[in-house]
Amino acid sequence: MKIPMDSLREVERERGISFDTLVEAIEKALASAYLRMTNADPETQDARAEVDRETGDVTIYAQDIEIDLETEEKTVLKEREDTPEDF
């Protein structure tokens, strides 16, 4: 998947929303979509998306996590690239 960076720059100019804010919002949305798509267990799995700010290429990283029940703090145990081809 590739995000058109020139379109995001245009939104930045027209709407006054910073480019980084736009990219971060897209990354969060993509990670959330990946988790829904894979039916991930929220207690043991998470994901993060990374958008290359130059090329627009998207990479999804699946994460195996552990949650501390007392503090609700997440610890990433393992991370692997898992970008779906049809994403």
Side-chain angles (χ1 to χ4, degrees):
M1 173 178 222
K2 195 170 194 151
I3 304 293
M5 295 283 101
D6 55 335
S7 295
L8 293 184
R9 293 287 184 193
E10 188 174 324
V11 170
E12 177 185 38
R13 283 189 302 276
E14 289 178 0
R15 305 280 183 193
I17 303 169
S18 84
F19 178 77
D20 285 333
T21 299
L22 291 168
V23 172
E24 288 169 12
I26 290 169
E27 288 173 334
K28 287 179 184 177
L30 290 170
S32 179
Y34 169 84
L35 292 171
R36 282 192 311 277
M37 182 178 159
T38 60
N39 295 318
D41 178 354
E43 292 187 19
T44 61
Q45 297 173 307
D46 204 355
R48 72 179 177 89
E50 189 174 285
V51 176
D52 183 301
R53 281 150 169 78
E54 296 293 320
T55 65
D57 291 322
V58 174
T59 305
I60 302 293
Y61 295 95
Q63 300 173 327
D64 296 330
I65 61 169
E66 181 176 80
I67 299 175
D68 184 315
L69 297 177
E70 288 182 23
T71 64
E72 296 184 11
E73 220 174 273
K74 259 190 330 187
T75 302
V76 176
L77 302 173
K78 181 180 171 186
E79 181 174 80
R80 64 194 175 285
E81 197 249 311
D82 192 31
T83 308
E85 286 186 30
D86 59 343
F87 199 57

